[in-house]
Structure formats: C-alpha cells, structure tokens
Amino acid sequence: QLVESRGGLVQAGDSLRLSCAASGGTFSNYAMGWFRQPTGKEREFVATITNNGGTDYADSVKGRFTISRDNAKNTLNLQMNSLKPEDTAVYYCAASLFNWFRVPTAYAYWGQGTQVTVSS
C-alpha cells in the first residue's frame, strides 16, 4: 500500500515536499517513481529512483525537483522547488519491480494521488 502525504496550494516560486509511505512489502526491493496528471491530460513521468538510489528526472523538473528514499522508514520523498503553475497536477507515487522505467505501465502499485496546485 502506498499513501501520499497531503499536497496543497502554493504560489509560483514556492517549495513543497511530498512523501509517500509504503507498507505491505519489502520496500527496498522496489524502484519507486513519481508521476503526475494535470486535469484533462495523461499521466506523465516526473522522477524515478532505483532500489539502489539511482535517479532519473523528466526534463521539465530536472534541477528543481529531487527524489529520495529512506529504505529504513519505507518512505519516498519528492522535494519540489521553484514551483511553476504548469506543475499543477495530481501527484502519484508508484512502485515497480523494474529499475529505470518512465512508463506508468511498468509500475504495479500506486498511491491514491494528492493534489498540488501552483498559483501564478
């Protein structure tokens, strides 16, 4: 089970940190990812972290967002800095048995999503 922390409404330029608590499996065995879905659009890749800590980011967030994991606490994090209105979306955490994938279909487990709204 994956449960995201509450998102929120922030202004452009602000920072926000999302967390995802995992339970029911061996967290360290899974690659983890963050995806987002703007209203009326398809779900898109944001970032992924391998079970060994390797990271990959979408170009749109590279340099602004940082994905991290704490295997001892079964927690995934997404630090979002310099937020822009185009970052507005429902954010999802997800787990995969495969490292380095950017496609949602590679992820078997999903959180319920949390809304992040960035005002201009």
Side-chain angles (χ1 to χ4, degrees):
Q1 183 179 11
L2 300 174
V3 180
E4 296 99 342
S5 61
R6 182 174 296 182
L9 171 63
V10 298
Q11 292 188 337
D14 284 352
S15 297
L16 188 65
R17 184 179 179 88
L18 299 180
S19 294
C20 173
S23 61
T26 304
F27 181 73
S28 59
N29 286 348
Y30 292 87
M32 300 297 297
W34 286 101
F35 290 79
R36 67 187 182 187
Q37 188 165 16
T39 302
K41 297 184 178 181
E42 293 187 354
R43 194 166 299 188
E44 62 184 27
F45 168 76
V46 174
T48 187
I49 185 166
T50 69
N51 53 357
N52 290 325
T55 59
D56 184 31
Y57 297 90
D59 287 345
S60 59
V61 306
K62 196 173 294 183
R64 299 188 298 121
F65 290 12
T66 302
I67 188 171
S68 63
R69 65 189 298 161
D70 186 335
N71 287 340
K73 296 181 178 179
N74 291 351
T75 301
L76 175 72
N77 301 300
L78 184 68
Q79 178 66 43
M80 303 185 291
N81 298 331
S82 303
L83 282 161
K84 304 175 181 180
E86 51 263 43
D87 294 319
T88 295
V90 177
Y91 282 72
Y92 298 88
C93 67
S96 173
L97 288 173
F98 308 104
N99 284 325
W100 301 117
F101 277 81
R102 292 184 167 201
V103 292
T105 52
Y107 292 75
Y109 305 100
W110 292 84
Q112 80 285 358
T114 188
Q115 178 70 45
V116 173
T117 302
V118 184
S119 64
S120 58

